[in-house]
Amino acid sequence: MQKILNIPKEFVSEMLEGILQAYPTQLKAVDGDNQALTRADAPIAGKVGITTGGGSGHLPLFLGYVGKGLLDGVAVGDVFQSPTADQMLAVTKQVNSGAGVLYIYGNYGGDVMNFDLAAELAAAEGIRVETILGADDVASAPKGEESRRRGIAGIFFLYKVAGAAAAAGKSLDEVVAITKRAAAQTRTMGVALSPVTLPTVGHPTFEVKAGEMEIGMGIHGEPGIRKAKLETADQITTELISAIKSDLSLKSGDKVCVLMNSLGATPPEELYIMYRQVKKIFSGDGIDVARVYVGEFATSLEMAGASISVIRVDSELLGYINAPAHTPFFTQV
Amino acid sequence: MQKILNIPKEFVSEMLEGILQAYPTQLKAVDGDNQALTRADAPIAGKVGITTGGGSGHLPLFLGYVGKGLLDGVAVGDVFQSPTADQMLAVTKQVNSGAGVLYIYGNYGGDVMNFDLAAELAAAEGIRVETILGADDVASAPKGEESRRRGIAGIFFLYKVAGAAAAAGKSLDEVVAITKRAAAQTRTMGVALSPVTLPTVGHPTFEVKAGEMEIGMGIHGEPGIRKAKLETADQITTELISAIKSDLSLKSGDKVCVLMNSLGATPPEELYIMYRQVKKIFSGDGIDVARVYVGEFATSLEMAGASISVIRVDSELLGYINAPAHTPFFTQV
Amino acid sequence: MSEFSATLEKVAKALENNSKRFEELDSAAGDGDLGITAGKIAEGIRSGISLSTGDLKADLMMLGREISKSAPSTFGTLFATGFIRASGVVSNEYSPLENVQKGFKAAFEGIAARGKASIGERTLLDALAPALTALNDASDLRSSLSSAAIAARAGAKATAEMMPRHGRAGWIGERAKGLEDAGANVIAVVFEALQ
Amino acid sequence: MSEFSATLEKVAKALENNSKRFEELDSAAGDGDLGITAGKIAEGIRSGISLSTGDLKADLMMLGREISKSAPSTFGTLFATGFIRASGVVSNEYSPLENVQKGFKAAFEGIAARGKASIGERTLLDALAPALTALNDASDLRSSLSSAAIAARAGAKATAEMMPRHGRAGWIGERAKGLEDAGANVIAVVFEALQ
Ligand SMILES: Nc1ncnc2c1ncn2[C@@H]1O[C@H](COP(=O)(O)OP(=O)(O)O)[C@@H](O)[C@H]1O
Ligand SMILES: Nc1ncnc2c1ncn2[C@@H]1O[C@H](COP(=O)(O)OP(=O)(O)O)[C@@H](O)[C@H]1O
Ligand SMILES: [Mg+2]
Ligand SMILES: [Mg+2]
Ligand SMILES: [Mg+2]
Ligand SMILES: [Mg+2]
């Protein structure tokens, strides 16, 4: 296991300690629990609070998006594990300024259970909580069963839209409405080229053989839709984009934003080789790429592989995506 | 070879195509050669031009630092290979506004030869060129032989200082003086945990065995100073920081900025675990960390490993490091 | 230690004793962490016991909160939800049998609502539902718990023939067939400890 | 094709024919790319030949620029520097022997300045320096080139006993001993082709 670690089971607590030491003016822990983090200046008077949460091992997901123009707080679980309802509740109370709180997180059983429970407990304390799930992974369930889809890198666009709308002073209902619209227009599809090793396990927890790939594999190793010999960048990109295009019914004249995401070990060089093909396909289809993000947005430790997320935008959504943001992990001017 | 590629020998040209398509408003190619890139708005009237160059495979090095508040242009070589003198010359001519040009690049034989030749040819065309080498790798030559040291991630601080000084309207002599001061105060030391595979080679070009590490190995696999069983994060961090501290003669009361860099596959989680220990050591020594950067700044494709760079700062250097910057790969507000 | 606390301690011990089996079943069809979860639930139960006030309603809520803190996985949260929902319906004015019947009914409904699963979808519900029927059919506490244990075990066995649709097992579909659901097994163990 | 161009073509061919050997030597002590570099220098030479004007000064400059474009590695750039510096000192007023002597002297000095290496540090200079001495000691072109070839080869052989301090081989130190320097070998091959 080629990892730089101390005691494997302290992986998350030591990571969080390092993060809080690195950004003391930007992040703070609620009630001394480093797994319940908020913006240092939370709550922001009059602003809708936006929180997220999920397992560790996906940096910059989830905590990396807590900051100006994006999220207010995050509950952080162990590696690939949901945080507790209690942690999400603590975050909720800390970020609530009275304007209500929106939960945005990925559609995974454990997270849904915990955050629904947190929302129930928050409601009992008089805090209005709304929830929107990231469920952008086209590969994880067929059309018609969208609500079963897992959430992966496309959640970035939901954060961005919701964060910008809340920063602009929109009400909870307005933020919910625009974020739902963003969610309905967002799709992701990925490919895995290597497994990952959990620090506490010490060996890969699933298999992707050398020379092979798995299209649609989830970021925790959830089975994909096709195992095959490793294909060329153009072939892979074409397959991912085709699935997204058809699921989203993209057509000539549409405007989109694209997010090219590395799962960890795949270097940015390869993402740009893929983007070259994305741009070629979209240009051929008369689809306009209004903005592209390339890098690590939702990872799986040192997994090799990549995902492509696409959101169809109108001028309102694009305005929110283009709005400035500033967190310890993401800055946009 | 778990890489997302088309034709291996087109790796660099396809990557550059993708980059130019992603950032058409920020970057441009000189005379149609994608290996000679400058800011889209170059030359900037009255500003000292700053250029860099080096082999591919190190993103965001080198081209990722071309943009506002940082560099004006870059010559891009093949993977791990120097670009040509001609390409650097073309970039030099494009970024020169009459205020002169500063070359900042890593101390590697091929690059030095080519860029010295470029400088000679530029001088023949009446452009004043000065050169400062990044030679921050403590592991690559002993004290007293600093000029033989290789340049690695610490070059980021040289770019940052030079870029901010030039953006502030300083003359070439002034930019050279402050950047030399930055270079004299910057040290890096790294550890490699896995080899890399060049796209055209298809198998690892050197060896780092599972369960082992090599302290001080270079970003092209240049031999380090010590091969050993993989140690804990705290042990590794302590070794790297000790070497830097003694080489830089850091003492209580000093103020530093720190850059925690992943070589590619090592996830940010592990960098924060290391930073926790850096902070602990520096706190114990009475050394103040004024700013920390954590992420990928100088990589080696999918190599696992990390490096720590430290620059001792005074208020002038810190001011330049804290100045805003904006490139397609790096934004600071 | 009150009788209520002693019973809960028996449940905690049973969860620990069977954690290997839970891990095996969850490894085959899920992600293998249900053994760890069972241990964490046991911890949560003990922490709830230590905070016990003797008031059934308050104690069930406290147990639910403690379990949800120590066992945040899907199963742990559903299990905790059961206690929290039961807390809402029990009362000192009811007989022990009534409290058991009302409490498990509320737990079942709360878990079904939170997990959005239906009977027959290969989850803990498929052990809990027959147990609940058995509880309601009985006229005294002792016999109700012993027939519930038998029913829960039979329910768990029957999951081997069901297609998973929820949790991580939902992603492997057909391949889970022939094996019992891990979570349903936990429920069977719990009822066996309660009797 | 002029005699000058024909000679250069012989050099290009010799570089290609020996690229395997260069690769082997550079693999053992450096990064193994000197075989590729030799091929690229040959390309640069041919491209320079195709742009030839017949004016020695201009042609040498052009050759240097073309070689530096096609072979940007350390060795390629040093090789190109030799042509560019030679261009600065040759003249149509000198005899061929004088041009050869002055040109190689300037090349040697330019390469030494660019590479900051000294004699005895196991680089191409250790083949070029004895060749230059041989050129200067001779009184006619033909004999000067043949004795230079012998001297360059002897110089290359002697590098096997030197400790590398430059280029990638500089990083491996002691381990390079016993093997000839790759770049010095290229110089020997070039002089053997020139004679
Ligand atoms: N939506 C659901 N509703 C009811 N029970 C569920 C649901 N999802 C999972 N379960 C139960 O939980 C068990 C797995 O629990 P656990 O290992 O904690 O979940 P996971 O690892 O999938 O997050 C399953 O065996 C099943 O009995
Ligand atoms: N600084 C130097 N001065 C003179 N010759 C050098 C120098 N560095 C390298 N060389 C020569 O170049 C050869 C290696 O060239 P090349 O493979 O292009 O370099 P690298 O791969 O190290 O960039 C060496 O064998 C040596 O003869
Ligand atoms: Mg499980
Ligand atoms: Mg689980
Ligand atoms: Mg070489
Ligand atoms: Mg080389």
Side-chain angles (χ1 to χ4, degrees):
Chain A
M1 182 172 52
Q2 298 303 82
K3 288 182 192 290
I4 305 179
L5 286 181
N6 293 306
I7 305 157
K9 74 177 190 36
E10 300 301 328
F11 181 80
V12 171
S13 70
E14 293 188 348
M15 166 194 84
L16 290 170
E17 238 182 83
I19 288 174
L20 281 162
Q21 278 164 352
Y23 313 114
T25 62
Q26 290 172 275
L27 295 173
K28 68 180 176 198
V30 184
D31 301 334
D33 179 0
N34 287 359
Q35 289 183 244
L37 298 177
T38 69
R39 287 171 58 165
D41 54 0
I44 316 297
K47 193 181 90 70
V48 169
I50 305 178
T51 70
T52 189
S56 290
H58 305 300
L59 283 180
L61 271 190
F62 294 88
L63 65 87
Y65 299 110
V66 173
K68 294 199 183 113
L70 278 159
L71 312 177
D72 296 274
V74 61
V76 183
D78 214 330
V79 178
F80 294 3
Q81 299 291 336
S82 176
T84 67
D86 236 67
Q87 286 161 338
M88 191 61 154
L89 178 62
V91 170
T92 307
K93 286 156 79 172
Q94 179 65 46
V95 306
N96 177 47
S97 70
V101 176
L102 171 59
Y103 289 1
I104 307 176
Y105 58 91
N107 187 23
Y108 293 92
D111 296 318
V112 174
M113 312 280 161
N114 278 292
F115 301 159
D116 276 356
L117 178 52
E120 184 178 321
L121 298 168
E125 302 197 26
I127 302 172
R128 186 178 157 211
V129 174
E130 294 288 338
T131 292
I132 296 177
L133 294 179
D136 51 315
D137 186 0
V138 174
S140 56
K143 223 176 155 61
E145 297 185 45
E146 281 87 354
S147 69
R148 285 185 55 225
R149 287 181 177 169
R150 300 185 290 258
I152 46 176
I155 200 169
F156 169 81
F157 288 124
L158 278 56
Y159 290 157
K160 193 69 197 60
V161 167
K170 298 286 169 195
S171 71
L172 180 54
D173 286 330
E174 289 167 326
V175 176
V176 166
I178 181 80
T179 309
K180 280 202 171 137
R181 211 138 65 68
Q185 298 299 331
T186 301
R187 298 292 185 281
T188 300
M189 180 111 166
V191 60
L193 270 67
S194 84
V196 290
T197 297
L198 272 66
T200 48
V201 177
H203 56 81
T205 45
F206 54 91
E207 202 185 45
V208 184
K209 292 207 190 81
E212 298 193 353
M213 63 173 185
E214 185 159 341
I215 297 275
M217 173 176 268
I219 58 174
H220 313 95
E222 299 92 341
I225 50 179
R226 192 167 79 82
K227 274 187 215 217
K229 271 215 128 47
L230 183 50
E231 294 166 0
T232 68
D234 287 355
Q235 286 168 331
I236 293 170
T237 304
T238 302
E239 174 163 358
L240 303 185
I241 285 289
S242 301
I244 290 170
K245 264 170 47 184
S246 97
D247 203 88
L248 206 48
S249 306
L250 282 179
K251 55 184 187 318
S252 178
D254 281 348
K255 190 179 283 236
V256 298
C257 296
V258 174
L259 183 135
M260 308 294 301
N261 176 58
S262 164
L263 296 180
T266 290
E269 283 83 354
E270 296 173 27
L271 298 179
Y272 286 103
I273 291 176
M274 295 176 79
Y275 180 64
R276 195 185 123 272
Q277 177 72 355
V278 171
K279 179 77 187 171
K280 197 180 204 172
I281 295 172
F282 279 159
S283 295
D285 291 338
I287 294 163
D288 179 28
V289 180
R291 180 163 200 137
V292 57
Y293 294 91
V294 184
E296 296 187 357
F297 294 87
T299 65
S300 186
L301 295 170
E302 75 289 350
M303 192 172 187
S307 68
I308 305 178
S309 302
V310 176
I311 179 171
R312 173 166 37 210
V313 293
D314 53 24
S315 63
E316 191 186 11
L317 286 173
L318 184 57
Y320 288 133
I321 289 172
N322 281 336
H326 178 45
T327 83
F329 289 74
F330 179 82
T331 299
Q332 176 172 306
V333 289
Chain B
M1 182 171 51
Q2 296 305 82
K3 288 181 192 288
I4 306 179
L5 288 181
N6 293 306
I7 304 157
K9 75 179 187 35
E10 300 301 328
F11 182 79
V12 170
S13 70
E14 292 188 349
M15 166 194 85
L16 289 170
E17 239 182 81
I19 287 174
L20 281 161
Q21 277 164 352
Y23 313 114
T25 62
Q26 292 173 274
L27 294 174
K28 69 180 177 200
V30 183
D31 301 333
D33 179 359
N34 287 358
Q35 290 184 242
L37 297 176
T38 70
R39 288 171 57 166
D41 54 0
I44 316 297
K47 194 181 89 68
V48 168
I50 305 179
T51 70
T52 190
S56 289
H58 305 300
L59 282 180
L61 272 189
F62 295 88
L63 65 86
Y65 299 110
V66 173
K68 293 199 183 112
L70 278 160
L71 312 177
D72 296 273
V74 61
V76 182
D78 214 329
V79 178
F80 295 3
Q81 298 291 335
S82 176
T84 66
D86 236 66
Q87 285 161 337
M88 190 60 155
L89 178 63
V91 170
T92 307
K93 286 155 80 171
Q94 179 65 45
V95 306
N96 177 46
S97 70
V101 176
L102 172 59
Y103 289 1
I104 307 176
Y105 59 90
N107 187 22
Y108 293 91
D111 296 317
V112 174
M113 313 281 160
N114 279 291
F115 301 159
D116 276 357
L117 178 53
E120 183 177 321
L121 297 168
E125 302 197 26
I127 301 173
R128 186 178 156 209
V129 174
E130 293 288 337
T131 292
I132 296 177
L133 294 178
D136 52 314
D137 185 359
V138 175
S140 56
K143 221 175 158 61
E145 297 185 43
E146 281 87 353
S147 69
R148 285 185 57 224
R149 287 182 177 169
R150 299 185 291 257
I152 48 177
I155 200 168
F156 169 81
F157 288 123
L158 277 55
Y159 290 158
K160 192 70 197 60
V161 167
K170 299 286 169 194
S171 71
L172 180 53
D173 286 330
E174 290 166 327
V175 175
V176 165
I178 183 80
T179 309
K180 281 204 171 138
R181 210 138 66 67
Q185 299 299 330
T186 301
R187 299 291 185 284
T188 300
M189 179 111 166
V191 60
L193 270 67
S194 83
V196 292
T197 297
L198 273 65
T200 47
V201 176
H203 56 81
T205 44
F206 54 92
E207 202 186 44
V208 184
K209 292 207 191 80
E212 299 192 354
M213 62 174 187
E214 186 160 341
I215 298 275
M217 173 178 266
I219 57 175
H220 314 94
E222 299 92 341
I225 51 178
R226 192 166 79 81
K227 274 186 212 213
K229 272 216 130 42
L230 184 49
E231 294 166 1
T232 67
D234 287 356
Q235 286 169 330
I236 294 170
T237 305
T238 303
E239 175 163 358
L240 302 186
I241 285 289
S242 300
I244 290 171
K245 264 170 48 184
S246 96
D247 203 87
L248 206 48
S249 305
L250 281 179
K251 56 185 187 314
S252 176
D254 280 348
K255 191 179 284 232
V256 298
C257 295
V258 174
L259 183 135
M260 308 292 304
N261 175 57
S262 164
L263 296 180
T266 291
E269 284 83 354
E270 297 174 27
L271 298 180
Y272 286 103
I273 291 176
M274 293 176 79
Y275 180 65
R276 195 186 125 271
Q277 177 72 357
V278 171
K279 180 77 187 170
K280 197 180 205 172
I281 296 172
F282 279 158
S283 296
D285 291 338
I287 295 162
D288 180 28
V289 180
R291 180 163 200 138
V292 57
Y293 294 91
V294 184
E296 296 187 356
F297 295 86
T299 65
S300 184
L301 296 169
E302 75 290 349
M303 191 172 187
S307 68
I308 306 178
S309 302
V310 176
I311 179 173
R312 174 166 35 211
V313 293
D314 53 25
S315 63
E316 190 186 12
L317 286 173
L318 184 57
Y320 288 132
I321 289 172
N322 282 335
H326 179 45
T327 82
F329 289 74
F330 179 83
T331 300
Q332 176 172 305
V333 289
Chain C
M1 201 184 261
S2 72
E3 206 195 311
F4 178 62
S5 295
T7 309
L8 286 167
E9 174 55 38
K10 275 202 281 179
V11 171
K13 188 141 295 155
L15 289 175
E16 287 170 343
N17 290 342
N18 288 279
S19 67
K20 195 87 212 135
R21 173 81 183 131
F22 303 148
E23 185 190 321
E24 280 165 19
L25 288 170
D26 193 37
S27 293
D31 62 354
D33 61 355
L34 198 62
I36 295 169
T37 291
K40 288 184 172 171
I41 291 176
E43 268 176 46
I45 289 175
R46 294 217 176 89
S47 141
I49 292 174
S50 76
L51 298 167
S52 162
T53 62
D55 174 54
L56 183 60
K57 206 175 187 66
D59 287 355
L60 284 171
M61 173 56 88
M62 184 62 75
L63 279 158
R65 293 292 293 268
E66 292 301 309
I67 293 168
S68 93
K69 270 192 240 177
S70 65
S73 82
T74 307
F75 188 85
T77 305
L78 291 172
F79 203 89
T81 298
F83 282 83
I84 291 170
R85 293 300 174 94
S87 158
V89 297
V90 297
S91 162
N92 287 331
E93 285 162 28
Y94 301 146
S95 73
L97 178 60
E98 275 176 311
N99 270 334
V100 164
Q101 290 171 335
K102 284 185 199 291
F104 275 106
K105 179 164 185 290
F108 176 85
E109 284 164 0
I111 292 171
R114 172 125 307 137
K116 297 175 195 79
S118 309
I119 306 284
E121 290 182 347
R122 200 192 145 96
T123 70
L124 67 89
L125 296 181
D126 296 308
L128 191 51
L132 184 58
T133 310
L135 285 177
N136 286 330
D137 289 349
S139 52
D140 68 291
L141 187 61
R142 203 190 168 90
S143 73
S144 80
L145 286 173
S146 79
S147 61
I150 293 165
R153 177 58 66 194
K157 285 237 161 69
T159 58
E161 292 315 305
M162 299 174 186
M163 267 278 283
R165 294 188 49 85
H166 295 275
R168 284 166 212 264
W171 300 323
I172 73 155
E174 277 292 347
R175 282 179 275 166
K177 278 213 173 174
L179 277 168
E180 292 177 30
D181 175 61
N185 251 266
V186 180
I187 299 300
V189 165
V190 167
F191 276 101
E192 285 161 1
L194 283 178
Q195 63 177 344
Chain D
M1 198 183 260
S2 71
E3 206 196 309
F4 179 61
S5 296
T7 308
L8 286 167
E9 174 54 38
K10 275 201 282 178
V11 171
K13 189 141 297 155
L15 289 175
E16 287 170 344
N17 289 344
N18 288 278
S19 67
K20 196 87 211 136
R21 173 80 183 132
F22 302 147
E23 186 191 322
E24 279 164 20
L25 288 171
D26 192 37
S27 294
D31 62 353
D33 61 354
L34 197 63
I36 296 170
T37 292
K40 288 183 172 170
I41 290 175
E43 269 176 45
I45 289 174
R46 293 216 177 87
S47 143
I49 292 173
S50 75
L51 298 165
S52 163
T53 61
D55 174 53
L56 182 61
K57 206 177 189 66
D59 287 356
L60 284 171
M61 172 57 88
M62 185 62 76
L63 279 158
R65 293 292 294 269
E66 292 302 308
I67 293 167
S68 95
K69 270 192 240 178
S70 65
S73 81
T74 305
F75 188 86
T77 306
L78 290 172
F79 203 90
T81 297
F83 282 82
I84 292 170
R85 293 299 175 94
S87 156
V89 297
V90 297
S91 163
N92 287 330
E93 287 164 26
Y94 301 147
S95 72
L97 177 62
E98 275 176 314
N99 271 333
V100 165
Q101 288 172 336
K102 283 186 201 289
F104 274 106
K105 180 165 185 287
F108 175 84
E109 284 165 359
I111 292 171
R114 172 124 307 135
K116 298 177 194 79
S118 309
I119 306 285
E121 291 182 345
R122 201 190 143 97
T123 69
L124 67 88
L125 295 182
D126 295 308
L128 190 52
L132 183 60
T133 309
L135 286 177
N136 286 330
D137 289 349
S139 51
D140 70 290
L141 186 61
R142 202 192 170 92
S143 74
S144 81
L145 287 172
S146 79
S147 62
I150 294 165
R153 177 57 66 192
K157 285 237 161 71
T159 59
E161 292 315 305
M162 298 174 186
M163 267 278 283
R165 296 187 48 86
H166 296 276
R168 285 167 214 262
W171 300 325
I172 73 157
E174 276 293 347
R175 282 179 276 168
K177 279 212 170 176
L179 277 167
E180 292 177 28
D181 175 61
N185 251 267
V186 180
I187 299 300
V189 165
V190 167
F191 276 99
E192 284 161 2
L194 283 178
Q195 63 178 345

